[in-house]
Amino acid sequence: MGQMISIIIPVYNVENYLKKCIESVINQEHSNLQIILVDDGSTDNSGKICDEYANKDSRITVIHKKNGGLSDARNTGLEVANGDFIAFVDSDDYISKNMYADMVAAAEKYGADVVRCGIKSVYLDDNPQELEDCREYVELSLDEMLQGLIQRKKKLVVWNAIYRHSFIAGMRFVPNVVYEDVFWTREILMKKHLEVYTSAEHYRYLQSRLGNTNTTSFVEEKRLPVVAEFLDWNKELEAIPNNKTKNMFKLYTMNFMIELMFLAYIADKKNAMVVINEAYNTLYASTHLEGIDQKLEKEFKFFKHSPQIYCLRRKLKTKLRNIMKNG
């Protein structure tokens, strides 16, 4: 049966998406699974759906708990996970049938602590084809991981990966924040480990669900802690000798601040915009832009001189794309 994977799926009010998610997990080619469904106080039929699947599949464990947020739900799952590897799936997303077979094979071949795959953004009516088995993986250094983040080819997320259980033993998610994956990934990247990656888009990330973190909600006390986290992370990187790595991470952080500023702008959170802009300017002053993609370099400079005009232009371009898409 191969090594066991514990798959933690936090569930909250996703009755319209949950079955597709669970079906994609229980039908994995790699069948040695511990599937942990954490019902985080759902008020719809999500909890009932979890119980129905548990009654049909002995690999499924359901935990019903009071609502505590995504980090708390994942941490609850970690407390009972006993697989050789740990994985996370968001309950409105789904995965290809051979995702975990491929990733476990890569972990065994390379002796990797972390294995990541590509991400395919999907919409409600999409039905992407299944992927052929993929054994093409590359080892990723910290520099290469950061470069992928800067070029927006990779994301600081947890759900497109499997983690060797012994490697993440004792790790937990920071509660009551948005971008909890950033805090988790910081700890992963700063630990000595072997990581491999395939661009095969095994993970299908749903873009259009109302209520997910892609909406315009902006609760400052939950979103702004990530600003301090990134600044602190950059300070930690000052201790390493590789100036290229330090500069690349500053570039990635600036990129993240632009995205965060746009969300604050859409939500009209002026105080948050001041905090984010100050962080951006602090990083910009000590960052070298030479050698990066010219389009990205222009974006960084434009945002530095006119952040609100940048956001307004982006808002208008987004509206125009939506109008053209909807006819």
Side-chain angles (χ1 to χ4, degrees):
M1 293 182 69
Q3 299 189 78
M4 179 185 284
I5 309 174
S6 295
I7 305 169
I8 299 169
I9 307 177
V11 175
Y12 180 71
N13 289 356
V14 286
E15 60 181 9
N16 294 328
Y17 316 93
L18 183 56
K19 290 183 179 179
K20 188 169 188 176
C21 173
I22 296 175
E23 289 286 340
S24 75
V25 174
I26 63 177
N27 290 313
Q28 286 292 295
E29 289 181 354
H30 184 95
S31 60
N32 191 9
L33 306 174
Q34 177 193 22
I35 303 167
I36 305 167
L37 303 176
V38 184
D39 173 25
D40 193 33
S42 297
T43 57
D44 64 359
N45 289 316
S46 296
K48 181 180 178 182
I49 293 170
C50 290
D51 291 335
E52 290 172 352
Y53 274 95
N55 289 332
K56 295 186 292 184
D57 194 321
S58 62
R59 299 173 300 172
I60 296 177
T61 298
V62 180
I63 301 172
H64 297 283
K65 60 180 286 295
K66 181 180 178 181
N67 181 254
L70 180 58
S71 289
D72 188 60
R74 286 175 175 168
N75 289 340
T76 298
L78 284 169
E79 292 296 329
V80 299
N82 54 27
D84 302 290
F85 293 93
I86 305 293
F88 303 93
V89 177
D90 282 357
S91 53
D92 50 352
D93 300 332
Y94 54 99
I95 58 179
S96 71
K97 65 181 176 61
N98 51 358
M99 174 171 169
Y100 292 130
D102 278 356
M103 297 175 88
V104 168
E108 292 176 340
K109 178 180 179 179
Y110 294 95
D113 301 298
V114 181
V115 181
R116 297 185 192 274
C117 68
I119 302 164
K120 184 176 182 62
S121 294
V122 295
Y123 294 86
L124 288 176
D125 297 329
D126 287 349
N127 190 24
Q129 292 182 341
E130 288 292 349
L131 300 177
E132 297 294 328
D133 286 354
C134 176
R135 298 290 185 257
E136 301 261 343
Y137 283 79
V138 295
E139 294 185 31
L140 277 185
S141 66
L142 178 59
D143 281 359
E144 289 166 333
M145 184 66 182
L146 294 173
Q147 189 66 43
L149 292 171
I150 295 162
Q151 296 173 347
R152 299 173 184 172
K153 294 178 181 178
K154 298 181 177 65
K155 298 176 181 288
L156 282 177
V157 293
V158 304
W159 27 255
N160 68 330
I162 62 170
Y163 304 90
R164 196 173 294 276
H165 199 165
S166 58
F167 173 65
I168 62 168
M171 283 184 58
R172 294 295 183 267
F173 289 87
V174 177
N176 301 317
V177 296
V178 181
Y179 311 116
E180 53 281 305
D181 291 10
V182 171
F183 295 78
W184 171 276
T185 308
R186 172 186 179 179
E187 190 169 350
I188 292 291
L189 290 181
M190 298 308 292
K191 292 174 69 173
K192 185 176 181 180
H193 70 289
L194 176 60
E195 184 162 325
V196 296
Y197 171 79
T198 177
S199 59
E201 296 173 329
H202 284 301
Y203 194 93
R204 282 70 192 275
Y205 173 54
L206 184 64
Q207 289 286 306
S208 55
R209 183 170 79 84
L210 293 177
N212 67 14
T213 54
N214 290 326
T215 65
T216 57
S217 61
F218 196 102
V219 180
E220 293 177 57
E221 60 268 25
K222 291 191 175 183
R223 287 194 186 261
L224 288 185
V226 76
V227 176
E229 177 72 5
F230 266 118
L231 291 177
D232 189 57
W233 196 352
N234 276 277
K235 287 181 181 177
E236 183 180 3
L237 285 171
E238 288 298 323
I240 68 173
N242 192 326
N243 288 325
K244 180 182 176 183
T245 298
K246 289 186 283 191
N247 194 66
M248 281 197 298
F249 194 71
K250 287 179 182 177
L251 290 167
Y252 175 70
T253 304
M254 287 162 54
N255 200 9
F256 193 97
M257 293 303 147
I258 290 175
E259 299 302 311
L260 193 60
M261 174 70 89
F262 183 63
L263 290 176
Y265 176 85
I266 294 297
D268 197 28
K269 299 291 186 178
K270 293 182 173 57
N271 290 336
M273 291 172 66
V274 171
V275 172
I276 298 163
N277 195 49
E278 287 177 352
Y280 182 89
N281 289 336
T282 297
L283 292 162
Y284 188 95
S286 60
T287 302
H288 301 289
L289 301 181
E290 297 81 7
I292 68 171
D293 179 79
Q294 287 188 347
K295 183 178 178 181
L296 193 56
E297 181 180 353
K298 289 179 180 178
E299 185 175 349
F300 283 144
K301 290 179 177 178
F302 181 18
F303 185 86
K304 168 67 172 68
H305 294 293
S306 307
Q308 294 207 37
I309 294 176
Y310 170 92
C311 291
L312 175 60
R313 187 183 74 161
R314 182 168 166 180
K315 179 181 178 181
L316 293 174
K317 287 174 69 174
T318 301
K319 283 187 175 181
L320 181 59
R321 278 198 303 268
N322 289 338
I323 291 172
M324 294 178 67
K325 180 180 178 180
N326 296 325

